Amino acid sequence: MATAVQKITLSSSRDIPFNKLVLSQSNVRRVKAGVSIEDLAASIARRGLIQSLHVRAVLDGEGQETGMFEVPAGGRRYRALEMLVKQKRLNKTAPVPCVVGTTDSGILMEEISLAENDERVPAHPLDQYRAFQSMRDKGMAEEDIAAAFFVDVNVVKQRLRLASVSPALLDIYAEDGMELKHLMAFTVSQDHARQEQVWDTIRNSWQKEPYHIRRMLTETTVRASDKRAVFVGVDAYEAAGGIVMRDLFESDDGGWLQDIGLLDRLVSAKLTTIADEIATHGWKWVEAGVSIPYGVTHGLRAIKGVPLDITAQEQATRDALQEELDRLTAEYEDADELPDEIDQRLGEIEVAIDALDQRPVRYDPDEIAIAGVFVSIDSDGSLCIDRGYVRPEDERPVEAADGDAPEEEVDPETGEVRSPAVQRAVITIGGEPVRTEEDEEDDGLKPLPERLIIELTAHRTLALRDALATNPQVALTMLLHKLASDTFRHTAPTGCLEASVRHLYLSGQPEEMKASAAAQSENDRHDRWGDHVPADDQALWDWLEQLDDGTRLDLLAHCVSFGINALFERPNPHAASGISRHGLDVRLAQADRLAVATGLDMVAAGWKPTVGNYLGRVTKGRILEAVREGAGERAAQLIGHLKKGDMAKEAERLLADTGWLPEPLRMSDGVAGDDAQPVSQDGGDADLPAFLADDSEDDELSEPEDEEHVALVAAE
């Protein structure tokens, strides 16, 4: 026979006039916590009484109800209502929603009071964020949201900042898979894929403190406290279109600058402007850089300058400052602590006196003509200028006896001493010469800019990855070669395969790479594999064991391809992350061998010379050389008279379908392959536009039939 379940009867609810309520002495809450009574009263005035009071009838000595009710649970709400009554904002007989408990239940009022407070669960931060987000989506301003909940507006901004976190991570947090401090650390980045990648990396690691998450998310950025950022100014960086990542939850010293390439360009431009101004003072050379290597002045002769005399006005200013300094020092000599304004003034006086004592230096003009200047950025982001160094090759020869002028300074026709030529300072930024308008007009061949070589080899690295990923046997051979080298040749250089395999991110590279065929192929292939690779470690092992050999080789080739590094780097074996000259040679030689083995053709991979990726960034001599090799001598001659900008645009058209490649994208001299760069001959001239073509009807300009006497005429 089944036992009947005892049914629960809930207490009834009804409206009771406020003046019939009294606060119970059984209320357990004594310590003030949470929202203040004033804020709670304002909330009731705005939203009404959201939660009813729990009351019990007050009995007289004979156990009869007196018509009054005491409040054991809801004392703060009662006090808030009481405040509204005193403020004449609520009628003292206004009905109050109440749940009326029975007096004979046997449950003590203290138990009810404690349970009512103890069982109250604060809102989850994620629920708070979603509520704030919903209110903002409906048009409510952040300030209004903060005012409605009596919190600082920064609290609202911080909660809303959680919108920048991946929804997948929000779900993990909602299920207690991570702590709030971890979730807040992810807000420094807007890249959801990178956030999820970082979490997958550290989720089972002991090292998952918030600072570690922030460091991983900002490893390809520059802190705003970096001396380059301080030198340029974050405002100037943002004005140029740069993006700054900021952490609203923690102190971030100004945030992180995402576009390192833009920052470096701004630094270079500012250093160039400063170097140009210094060069106008007659120095032979100016070498500028973010940092000047230690010991760079070794072997150079430092010229000495004469400090300029202080003027009467400057001396009077210094005397007045010194007098004020002495007076304030004597006045506050016995003070335990200086007032803030006095301390600030003393600092200002000391700085002003120091500036007057650091006298400008005058150098001998003859010495300036053979000496140079180093310009760099100090550790605090300030400008550092070190003047007056003479290189050994610039030292003047011993003067001729009897005051005779050297032979090369005497005009052989007139016998007079030639006037000295006006010297133009040679300016270098980061070791690379700064181009001037005169340099741009120079038709001679010059070395390709280092930055351009890095970008070109980045294109090749991406194409090599794609080629290797579709050649599993080559990938297997290369991986075994790397592993065997590491096992049996412990001193072997790394080469072009990072066989960890560690994904080498090609940050700071041209935007066009993202839209290239190789990049699209790599992304599509990675997405296809990602749909099948299990996330669990044991499941991944079991899955790999079940794959057939062909599929395993395909996956191996895809994974190995992410370790390809065929980038050109400036050799710097003394830095922690530097590469030696030998190591760079090995890397590039292996890249050539890999290109031959995979049959890589950079033309087929989609690279072609444009104004943006090559022609607009080299000298006119380089442009003409490219056109000469790709489109023929005649085409080169007919654009030779154009200004550089027009020449680059026309060269882009002429080379569009020729398959011409610059040196960094060709095979090195010691490697032969099917993709070796052909050099076009004169017979391969591309069609020229009407304004460049030799279509004159003048008999004197027409081309004779005899090819040995062809006369080329350039457009005027």
Side-chain angles (χ1 to χ4, degrees), residues 188-189 214-224 226 228 237 243-245 255-260 263 507:
V188 301
S189 172
R214 282 189 288 269
R215 182 176 62 81
M216 294 181 68
L217 289 171
T218 59
E219 60 188 358
T220 58
T221 62
V222 170
R223 292 200 74 106
D226 183 277
R228 290 171 293 172
Y237 165 80
I243 299 175
V244 179
M245 299 166 55
W256 294 267
L257 281 62
Q258 286 186 283
D259 195 336
I260 302 178
L263 176 63
S507 60

Side-chain angles (χ1 to χ4, degrees), residues 243-257:
I243 299 175
V244 179
M245 299 166 55
R246 291 188 170 90
D247 189 345
L248 286 178
F249 296 95
E250 298 288 342
S251 174
D252 57 14
D253 292 330
W256 294 267
L257 281 62

Side-chain angles (χ1 to χ4, degrees), residues 436-495:
T436 64
E437 294 184 0
E438 295 181 28
D439 293 331
E440 297 293 355
E441 296 298 326
D442 188 353
D443 294 340
L445 294 181
K446 296 184 178 181
L448 293 177
E450 181 180 297
R451 178 64 184 177
L452 177 57
I453 296 178
I454 293 174
E455 290 187 7
L456 293 174
T457 53
H459 276 285
R460 193 182 191 215
T461 297
L462 189 59
L464 275 172
R465 288 181 178 179
D466 190 51
L468 184 66
T470 57
N471 287 269
Q473 293 300 330
V474 176
L476 181 59
T477 301
M478 184 169 193
L479 178 59
L480 289 175
H481 175 273
K482 177 65 173 67
L483 297 179
S485 296
D486 290 346
T487 303
F488 301 104
R489 300 167 56 230
H490 300 293
T491 60
T494 300

Side-chain angles (χ1 to χ4, degrees), residues 89-123:
R89 301 173 67 187
L90 180 70
N91 195 310
K92 64 180 180 179
T93 60
V96 179
C98 298
V99 174
V100 183
T102 59
T103 58
D104 58 353
S105 64
I107 304 298
L108 297 176
M109 288 190 292
E110 286 82 359
E111 180 182 345
I112 294 174
S113 176
L114 180 60
E116 195 264 352
N117 287 281
D118 196 44
E119 294 172 359
R120 186 182 302 162
V121 179

Side-chain angles (χ1 to χ4, degrees), residues 142-281:
E142 295 173 353
E143 292 75 11
D144 295 335
I145 297 174
F149 289 93
F150 312 105
V151 296
D152 189 89
V153 69
N154 284 334
V155 174
V156 177
K157 290 180 180 293
Q158 289 172 353
R159 289 290 182 264
L160 291 175
R161 185 66 183 269
L162 295 179
S164 63
V165 180
S166 165
L169 298 186
L170 292 177
D171 292 340
I172 293 173
Y173 171 61
E175 297 171 1
D176 298 327
M178 72 170 70
E179 299 179 44
L180 180 59
K181 64 181 182 180
H182 299 137
L183 192 69
M184 293 190 298
F186 281 105
T187 62
V188 301
S189 172
Q190 304 289 330
D191 188 341
H192 289 180
R194 179 59 178 156
Q195 291 174 358
E196 294 169 14
Q197 183 185 48
V198 169
W199 177 249
D200 289 340
T201 302
I202 69 168
R203 64 187 307 168
N204 297 319
S205 169
W206 59 270
Q207 193 175 25
K208 53 183 178 183
E209 288 301 313
Y211 75 87
H212 186 63
I213 296 173
R214 282 189 288 269
R215 182 176 62 81
M216 294 181 68
L217 289 171
T218 59
E219 60 188 358
T220 58
T221 62
V222 170
R223 292 200 74 106
S225 57
D226 183 277
K227 66 179 184 179
R228 290 171 293 172
V230 175
F231 177 69
V232 171
V234 175
D235 291 341
Y237 165 80
E238 291 183 301
I243 299 175
V244 179
M245 299 166 55
R246 291 188 170 90
D247 189 345
L248 286 178
F249 296 95
E250 298 288 342
S251 174
D252 57 14
D253 292 330
W256 294 267
L257 281 62
Q258 286 186 283
D259 195 336
I260 302 178
L262 172 62
L263 176 63
D264 287 339
R265 289 195 295 273
L266 293 175
V267 170
S268 179
K270 188 170 181 179
L271 285 174
T272 300
T273 301
I274 295 170
D276 285 340
E277 194 279 329
I278 294 174
T280 61
H281 299 164

Side-chain angles (χ1 to χ4, degrees), residues 118-131:
D118 196 44
E119 294 172 359
R120 186 182 302 162
V121 179
H124 193 281
L126 194 56
D127 293 330
Q128 193 178 33
Y129 145 67
R130 286 168 174 160

Side-chain angles (χ1 to χ4, degrees), residues 701-716:
L701 299 181
S702 61
E703 295 183 356
E705 294 182 0
D706 187 356
E707 292 184 2
E708 296 181 357
H709 299 86
V710 173
L712 296 177
V713 179
E716 294 297 335

